[in-house]
Amino acid sequence: MFVAKSIAADHKDLIHDVSYDFHGRRMATCSSDQSVKVWDKGDDGEWHCTASWKTHSGSVWRVTWAHPEFGQVLASCSFDRTAAVWEEIVGESNDKQRGQSHWIKRTTLVDSRTSVTDVKFAPKHMGLMLTTCSADGVVRIYEAPDVMNLSQWSLQHEISCKLSCSCISWNPSSSRAHPPMIAVGSDDSNITYSGKVQIYEYNENTRKYAKAETLMTVTDPVHDITFAPNLGRSFHVLAIATKDVRIFKLIPMRRESANSSGPTKFEVQVMAQFDSHNSQVWRVSWNITSTLLASSGDDGCVRLWKANYMDNWKCTGILRGDGSPVNGSGHAAALSAVGVPVAAQMVVGAASAGRLKHSMLQYFY
Amino acid sequence: MEELQQNLIPGAGFYQKHLGFEWGPGDLIVYETNYKLQGPRSAGSPSVHIVRRDEDICSPILRKLFSESHLIFVGLQKIKEDVPSKNKKSQFVSISKNYRSVIRACMEELQQNAVSTQSGSLASQYGDQVSILLAIELIWNLCEVLFIDAAPAGSLLLQLLDWVRLHKSDVDAKAREVLQSDSPAQHQSYWDVVISLVLQGRTDEARQVLSKQASLRAESSSVFKRMDGLLQTMPIFNPTGTQTLTEFEVKWRHWHEECDRCLQDNTFASNRHLETICKILVGDEDTLLEQKELLSTWYHFLVTRLLFTHPTIKPPDLHYYAQSSMNMFLGPRASPEPLDIILLSAFEFDLHQVIKDCSIALNNWWFVAHLTDLLDHCKLLQSHNLHFGSNLREFLVLEYASGLFTHHSLWQLAVDYFDHCPEFGRVYLELQIERVPLDTERKAIKVLRICEDRQMSEQVRSICKIMAKRALRNNRLGSALSWTIRAKDAAFATLISERFLQDYSNKGSFTDLDLLDNLGPAMLLSDSLTFLGKYREFHRLYGEKRFSEAARLLLSLMTAKIAPRSLWMTLLTDALPLLEQKEVIFSVDQTYELMSCLEELNSGTKHSNLTDQDEDIESTKTELLRLALARNLTMAIVKEGTIET
């Protein structure tokens, strides 16, 4: 059914984030041991660590890849109040033979006065832009005007959210129908400002980001937030990790032609809400085609959610650690399954009496 | 809400209880972590776990299923709309049969593997997959009979009989065993075989097996002859014949009455088996139910029951018999399996329910996507408008194709599926094709061609840019340049041209001459690139000793301001060998122009960052040039002033 293969990550402390590159052939991990590791998938399908270096003087919270159009570029953010941009340089030939590559720091962004909690690149059609958010409640948007020179970044926008920020997500859509949009989540326990998700939109006229929407119904701390890929819809879909998993639909309302100066107004609907984790939800993430949403919670489970063609959402899979120490064999091991078997199993004829497992005709995507 | 099975990842959850994750192409990375950021440090060395659906064993065989069904799918899409519907129906039926034969071929191969493998667990994996395909084919076949072929009363039962016979093949094996034995009539399965054949309406074959019995017992041969007679005279409707359904019904009633009479007369009282068979022929429900083991499924019971009580069943009446048959067969305590429910929905002609239940129970996009697509072509689905305006068929095909895309070789099949999803196929394809890893140039070109064929210009540009950037990083300037030209990226072209020129001034020669010589109109992409192309042309002309053309080109590079100022000194230095030829190449006017270029260069602000040594070199060069130009001027004046005699 499911198979899992372990790779010894060799970090000396907790891993906080793992990020695949755009094509899924490289991976970066970051840890409380202050380092980042880069892994490459070989032709044999095995992952090899090709770089490992100290990046910050504190725990590294997140790591993310830039679009490959900009080259091999990583950004990391840390408890040490900085974010950094790294570029891979093509090394000596013997390095290549040993399967090692070098990453050098192109810039350090030191504007934050507190721990930097998230770092994300903006969609590529906006150029090479990096965004950070910090516990000091400020979202900062930087731009590298010359994409060939990654040591020059200028701080283009500072958005003050009034609440300690924990996560950001750009709307990945490059449609000209709407301006750039970024969602910011806050894990602040402040009750004065109750809406913990804010949506900012870029205004062509003022050349600034203005708040378009606050999701007032999200009153608990938000730990993760993510826009779904757009896929030709006229509305936006945003998933939020808070005390439960919530999926919002943001429908842009038509502007009256006279008043086109303010940010877009949205009609906000809740598409789905799941409290199956029964506890805090820490991460949410869409797969590439936005056909599946995964969430991870305090209950130690990763759950997969899917909408059918009638837009009814259901849980389609659960993953959990088995609580055993690492086996370290590196072989793909089938995952044992526990719990009440799903009633939907097939029995065919009297010939095969056993219950059938899920078909392999279903790919995991 | 019913809980799903939890899949346990070995080696996770021991030190930290939270699980972090990240989506990959076709898999999920999971790792232990602690989101609360406080608490015990990680005691051991953490691992990441890559989780994906298990596809090892059966995948090579299933891959064939995917590629062959892909061909059928594409063929189906091409069927023109304007063909009259009667012809289309036979086309659709044949396509349905094609799909089913592909499924069967796949099943057989899997079955062979299951039988031949040594490992018990592998055998059971193969076996599981075979069972699933069996179920799929069963459902598909029924849908073909009921919906696609849409058999009317009369033919309906015949097709249902075929359906049952196809899916209960053990009868043939048993029959063969019995017939090939030394004394068939004494074989322990003898009567089972006869009854099974009767239950399936295979009267001729039943008679054949019965005849083995008759030859032995002379004294009871009349009884057997009687049975043989009944079996022989059983009316079977012939859809292509001239007999109408009503006529058939009359005939059948007569025969039915005759069978009944035999029972009343106790004709077969001497042989309980024959008596049983007669009761079956009469359609006695209790007797039929007694044959549960031979029938083995409620739908076999249904069809048999219809055969002997209601052979002219009309499609709309089917569901009543289906529901009651299922209840009777399964009994009060057993609850129906998902397969049973799906078949029942089919008998009730509730297509949407069939598709919905299949999607859930089978968790299998291949099946529902292809079946729904075929049913849609038969215009059998009313399109339920989804919230974003697509319909059920498109939804399922998109789901299936998206799954294919994560596969390293099957992704190319997915492209055709997206092409035939009019609403969202294009945008899905745009999103996913960018993610195909560009491992080799050949693969990149393959991906590019797909995008170019569909005018996906942004994807083309992006892929070319990625390849150009990669080539540049690895110092393959020629490759970088050709990708940049394909991407139509002017800024990058400028950058690469400048790198070429830098290389030239460092090494004294150009690389990638083929490329530079054949730039053609692509040269115009950026000024630097134009200069690079023309400059290389100058060198080529010089190499071919076409000096006056070379001279003209060199001059025009400066006067037409194509060359950047920084390179004028280099160009003028390039002019030196032309100036020092024995014959005069530059005309008087051209020489004047060169001189003015030189002076213009020198009148500009001196570079302050030149060292003393460099400044010396520069002024020496300038002096040399002035001298050469002056000499050339005199020779040119003389040449042009001389009258040729």
Side-chain angles (χ1 to χ4, degrees):
Chain A
M1 236 199 103
F2 284 104
V3 201
K5 192 153 71 164
S6 336
I7 304 168
D10 272 339
H11 277 289
K12 299 189 182 48
D13 205 331
L14 276 184
I15 298 175
H16 291 292
D17 197 17
V18 171
S19 178
Y20 267 110
D21 82 329
F22 189 72
H23 292 122
R25 288 292 216 243
R26 312 190 80 181
M27 174 169 85
T29 59
C30 67
S31 159
S32 270
D33 70 0
Q34 305 177 1
S35 76
V36 165
K37 287 181 195 279
V38 172
W39 307 76
D40 280 33
K41 194 173 196 179
D43 292 330
D44 55 355
E46 301 292 322
W47 289 94
H48 308 276
C49 181
T50 53
S52 170
W53 73 103
K54 178 160 145 67
T55 48
H56 291 274
S57 51
S59 291
V60 188
W61 297 134
R62 303 262 193 161
V63 66
T64 183
W65 293 84
H67 194 279
E69 271 188 44
F70 302 113
Q72 298 297 304
V73 177
L74 278 173
S76 58
C77 70
S78 162
F79 181 72
D80 71 357
R81 309 192 301 267
T82 69
V85 176
W86 310 88
E87 187 173 18
E88 188 185 39
I89 49 170
V90 177
E92 302 294 307
S93 51
N94 35 329
D95 277 339
K96 267 224 179 90
Q97 279 172 350
R98 277 191 299 125
Q100 291 300 303
S101 63
H102 289 285
W103 290 77
I104 60 173
K105 185 191 285 206
R106 288 301 189 196
T107 191
T108 313
L109 306 170
V110 298
D111 303 274
S112 174
R113 276 164 294 145
T114 54
S115 169
V116 182
T117 49
D118 199 359
V119 62
K120 292 274 182 349
F121 283 99
K124 71 166 153 76
H125 68 271
M126 293 171 62
L128 187 52
M129 295 183 77
L130 186 65
T131 322
T132 61
C133 74
S134 312
D136 65 7
V138 181
V139 170
R140 294 178 174 88
I141 304 180
Y142 300 86
E143 184 174 12
D146 178 5
V147 303
M148 294 306 301
N149 179 3
L150 295 182
S151 31
Q152 295 299 330
W153 291 80
S154 69
L155 175 57
Q156 299 281 71
H157 305 277
E158 253 182 337
I159 304 174
S160 180
C161 302
K162 298 194 178 63
L163 291 170
S164 153
C165 304
S166 59
C167 48
I168 42 182
S169 173
W170 281 99
N171 188 337
S173 160
S174 55
S175 155
R176 269 169 232 179
H178 52 81
M181 195 192 299
I182 183 170
V184 184
S186 162
D187 58 355
D188 204 315
S189 42
N190 183 322
I191 47 171
T192 322
Y193 298 103
S194 52
K196 298 291 191 302
V197 174
Q198 299 172 40
I199 315 242
Y200 291 88
E201 211 187 40
Y202 184 68
N203 185 317
E204 293 288 345
N205 300 330
T206 63
R207 309 261 195 101
K208 283 195 174 37
Y209 280 85
K211 192 188 298 197
E213 189 70 47
T214 306
L215 299 182
M216 297 306 292
T217 53
V218 183
T219 52
D220 298 280
V222 169
H223 306 294
D224 200 8
I225 192 167
T226 174
F227 274 104
N230 187 269
L231 292 174
R233 295 184 290 246
S234 60
F235 55 87
H236 312 293
V237 176
L238 183 63
I240 295 174
T242 170
K243 73 170 186 333
D244 49 29
V245 176
R246 254 179 259 190
I247 306 178
F248 284 92
K249 184 186 210 179
L250 300 166
I251 308 168
M253 305 213 280
R254 208 157 293 177
R255 297 171 179 287
E256 307 120 27
S257 51
N259 175 27
S260 56
S261 55
T264 317
K265 296 249 179 296
F266 292 99
E267 185 194 330
V268 178
Q269 294 175 3
V270 177
M271 280 176 100
Q273 195 162 346
F274 314 116
D275 53 11
S276 313
H277 285 286
N278 235 340
S279 54
Q280 293 294 319
V281 181
W282 294 97
R283 278 288 172 97
V284 281
S285 176
W286 297 96
N287 69 344
I288 292 167
T289 49
S290 77
T291 48
L292 277 175
L293 178 71
S295 65
S296 155
D298 242 358
D299 59 349
C301 290
V302 173
R303 282 159 200 274
L304 306 174
W305 309 94
K306 182 165 187 60
N308 70 357
Y309 65 97
M310 301 294 271
D311 251 350
N312 295 324
W313 288 82
K314 277 176 51 136
C315 182
T316 62
I318 308 179
L319 296 169
R320 191 161 64 82
D322 72 348
S324 71
V326 175
N327 66 356
S329 66
H331 294 302
L335 304 191
S336 53
V338 295
V340 176
V342 186
Q345 304 275 18
M346 305 276 299
V347 173
V348 177
S352 91
R355 293 207 168 271
L356 301 180
K357 302 185 184 66
H358 283 263
S359 166
M360 288 159 206
L361 293 173
Q362 166 75 352
Y363 277 84
F364 189 14
Y365 53 86
Chain B
M1 183 164 94
E2 49 182 279
E3 261 294 277
L4 287 178
Q5 288 178 310
Q6 294 188 350
N7 297 283
L8 303 177
I9 301 168
F14 184 69
Y15 299 106
Q16 304 294 336
K17 67 164 181 156
H18 288 153
L19 281 187
F21 66 88
E22 159 81 333
W23 284 106
D27 56 28
L28 199 64
I29 287 189
V30 176
Y31 53 95
E32 268 187 13
T33 186
N34 187 342
Y35 287 114
K36 290 214 180 86
L37 310 179
Q38 283 144 7
R41 299 310 242 176
S42 187
S45 175
S47 306
V48 295
H49 310 271
I50 309 214
V51 181
R52 55 180 175 78
R53 294 264 176 181
D54 187 4
E55 60 155 74
D56 281 351
I57 307 304
C58 305
S59 46
I61 300 166
L62 289 180
R63 225 168 283 162
K64 251 187 272 174
L65 176 69
F66 297 145
S67 29
E68 283 171 29
S69 58
H70 162 256
L71 287 171
I72 303 174
F73 176 87
V74 172
L76 172 58
Q77 310 309 310
K78 295 211 177 102
I79 290 181
K80 294 274 183 270
E81 280 295 315
D82 47 347
V83 174
S85 52
K86 207 161 86 161
N87 299 355
K88 268 204 268 184
K89 181 163 100 147
S90 56
Q91 262 186 308
F92 291 142
V93 171
S94 113
I95 286 175
S96 179
K97 290 197 198 300
N98 279 347
Y99 273 125
R100 286 197 295 118
S101 71
V102 165
I103 297 173
R104 293 216 142 234
C106 185
M107 256 198 302
E108 271 160 30
E109 208 178 326
L110 286 170
Q111 185 63 21
Q112 271 170 25
N113 283 24
V115 163
S116 62
T117 184
Q118 305 285 15
S119 148
S121 72
L122 282 187
S124 80
Q125 279 188 54
Y126 282 123
D128 286 345
Q129 196 61 45
V130 169
S131 303
I132 291 170
L133 287 177
L134 265 173
I136 287 175
E137 206 265 328
L138 180 73
I139 299 169
W140 193 306
N141 198 345
L142 183 61
C143 289
E144 182 186 304
V145 166
L146 296 177
F147 304 122
I148 301 174
D149 212 342
S155 324
L156 177 59
L157 183 66
L158 293 175
Q159 292 197 21
L160 285 176
L161 267 176
D162 279 336
W163 174 65
V164 162
R165 287 173 195 164
L166 194 58
H167 294 95
K168 189 119 180 47
S169 50
D170 58 347
V171 173
D172 295 286
K174 254 200 260 176
R176 232 174 300 136
E177 194 192 313
V178 165
L179 288 173
Q180 283 167 7
S181 74
D182 297 325
S183 145
Q186 319 286 34
H187 198 287
Q188 60 173 17
S189 303
Y190 177 78
W191 283 109
D192 279 347
V193 167
V194 176
I195 294 179
S196 297
L197 288 170
V198 172
L199 289 171
Q200 288 195 1
R202 292 154 79 170
T203 46
D204 289 338
E205 290 169 75
R207 286 173 59 213
Q208 193 192 16
V209 180
L210 260 183
S211 65
K212 303 287 177 202
Q213 183 74 261
S215 59
L216 285 180
R217 301 203 201 164
E219 67 275 14
S220 48
S221 66
S222 65
V223 184
F224 282 90
K225 272 217 191 79
R226 192 85 183 82
M227 176 51 76
D228 188 73
L230 284 180
L231 289 173
Q232 191 184 22
T233 56
M234 173 170 163
I236 306 281
F237 181 66
N238 183 353
T240 57
T242 49
Q243 185 190 50
T244 67
L245 198 61
T246 327
E247 286 167 11
F248 165 76
E249 184 137 21
V250 168
K251 243 186 117 185
W252 184 81
R253 289 226 167 274
H254 280 278
W255 174 83
H256 192 266
E257 275 158 22
E258 205 190 323
C259 296
D260 204 28
R261 240 174 288 135
C262 287
L263 272 181
Q264 306 300 334
D265 294 344
N266 285 323
T267 317
F268 300 108
S270 56
N271 185 319
R272 65 180 175 87
H273 295 291
L274 291 180
E275 175 102 350
T276 305
I277 293 176
C278 194
K279 285 192 180 157
I280 291 174
L281 292 181
V282 156
D284 180 53
E285 271 171 19
D286 293 324
T287 317
L288 288 177
L289 281 171
E290 280 165 25
Q291 309 307 321
K292 241 193 199 168
E293 221 182 282
L294 292 179
L295 288 168
S296 75
T297 60
W298 65 270
Y299 39 93
H300 191 335
F301 171 64
L302 163 68
V303 174
T304 303
R305 188 182 160 210
L306 287 172
L307 173 64
F308 294 116
T309 58
H310 212 89
T312 55
I313 181 97
K314 293 200 286 286
D317 299 331
L318 205 46
H319 75 95
Y320 166 72
Y321 287 94
Q323 181 73 67
S324 57
S325 299
M326 188 170 88
N327 293 340
M328 277 192 258
F329 192 88
L330 292 181
R333 246 167 273 152
S335 59
E337 300 280 322
L339 176 60
D340 300 325
I341 299 191
I342 291 172
L343 294 173
L344 191 63
S345 302
F347 285 121
E348 290 170 357
F349 285 83
D350 190 348
L351 253 184
H352 285 283
Q353 193 65 34
V354 171
I355 294 170
K356 180 169 161 202
D357 287 342
C358 284
S359 305
I360 298 169
L362 285 173
N363 206 20
N364 180 335
W365 299 118
W366 178 87
F367 171 46
V368 288
H370 287 88
L371 180 62
T372 308
D373 173 61
L374 181 55
L375 294 172
D376 188 53
H377 273 87
C378 300
K379 302 261 187 292
L380 291 168
L381 301 176
Q382 302 132 1
S383 102
H384 279 232
N385 254 353
L386 300 180
H387 68 279
F388 47 90
S390 172
N391 60 26
L392 176 61
R393 171 209 167 258
E394 183 157 324
F395 176 87
L396 294 172
V397 173
L398 287 173
E399 287 285 342
Y400 171 66
S402 297
L404 276 186
F405 232 105
T406 57
H407 195 278
H408 62 89
S409 64
L410 293 175
W411 63 270
Q412 295 171 76
L413 302 180
V415 176
D416 283 315
Y417 287 96
F418 284 128
D419 281 343
H420 291 106
C421 291
E423 287 240 26
F424 294 100
R426 188 186 170 87
V427 67
Y428 267 73
L429 180 57
E430 282 173 357
L431 188 70
Q432 305 210 44
I433 197 131
E434 283 188 330
R435 299 274 185 165
V436 175
L438 307 167
D439 305 318
T440 59
E441 291 237 347
R442 222 174 101 220
K443 193 167 182 194
I445 290 175
K446 206 187 276 192
V447 176
L448 263 183
R449 202 154 290 152
I450 293 173
C451 297
E452 281 165 352
D453 286 345
R454 289 157 183 77
Q455 284 95 44
M456 292 179 173
S457 46
E458 169 52 31
Q459 279 68 31
V460 169
R461 187 207 61 79
S462 183
I463 291 168
C464 290
K465 184 64 186 287
I466 293 173
M467 296 302 286
K469 191 93 180 149
R470 193 187 293 176
L472 187 64
R473 272 181 69 228
N474 289 310
N475 236 356
R476 290 181 287 118
L477 291 180
S479 178
L481 183 59
S482 60
W483 283 113
T484 305
I485 290 171
R486 204 160 175 175
K488 301 203 182 45
D489 190 329
F492 213 55
T494 303
L495 199 110
I496 296 181
S497 311
E498 283 165 11
R499 283 281 289 268
F500 263 107
L501 291 166
Q502 213 175 15
D503 254 13
Y504 169 74
S505 48
N506 292 344
K507 290 191 227 154
S509 65
F510 285 109
T511 54
D512 303 288
L513 294 174
D514 266 343
L515 177 63
L516 293 177
D517 286 341
N518 292 305
L519 282 175
M523 216 188 283
L524 300 171
L525 184 58
S526 100
D527 285 345
S528 298
L529 186 58
T530 315
F531 169 69
L532 178 65
K534 293 279 174 207
Y535 191 45
R536 162 64 203 151
E537 197 182 328
F538 161 74
H539 283 274
R540 198 165 41 87
L541 288 172
Y542 186 91
E544 291 169 13
K545 300 206 190 316
R546 290 154 68 181
F547 294 126
S548 47
E549 286 176 67
R552 227 172 313 147
L553 179 56
L554 186 64
L555 192 55
S556 73
L557 285 178
M558 282 186 284
T559 54
K561 307 271 187 261
I562 300 175
R565 258 310 186 88
S566 47
L567 285 167
W568 277 18
M569 200 36 137
T570 316
L571 292 178
L572 287 167
T573 321
D574 281 333
L576 265 176
L578 290 173
L579 292 166
E580 285 166 6
Q581 293 284 333
K582 273 210 207 94
E583 45 170 312
V584 172
I585 299 170
F586 284 103
S587 71
V588 172
D589 288 333
Q590 286 175 329
T591 316
Y592 277 131
E593 292 203 56
L594 280 173
M595 284 168 138
S596 73
C597 284
L598 181 59
E599 293 317 310
E600 196 182 323
L601 195 59
N602 277 320
S603 67
T605 27
K606 296 267 184 242
H607 294 285
S608 53
N609 50 1
L610 286 178
T611 62
D612 283 341
Q613 196 183 31
D614 282 340
E615 279 206 37
D616 271 345
I617 295 176
E618 285 304 300
S619 51
T620 314
K621 270 200 224 167
T622 313
E623 284 311 309
L624 270 172
L625 276 167
R626 284 204 182 115
L627 188 60
L629 282 168
R631 264 193 21 245
N632 193 70
L633 187 59
T634 51
M635 288 168 62
I637 290 175
V638 168
K639 178 178 169 201
E640 283 171 32
T642 309
I643 304 170
E644 299 286 330
T645 53

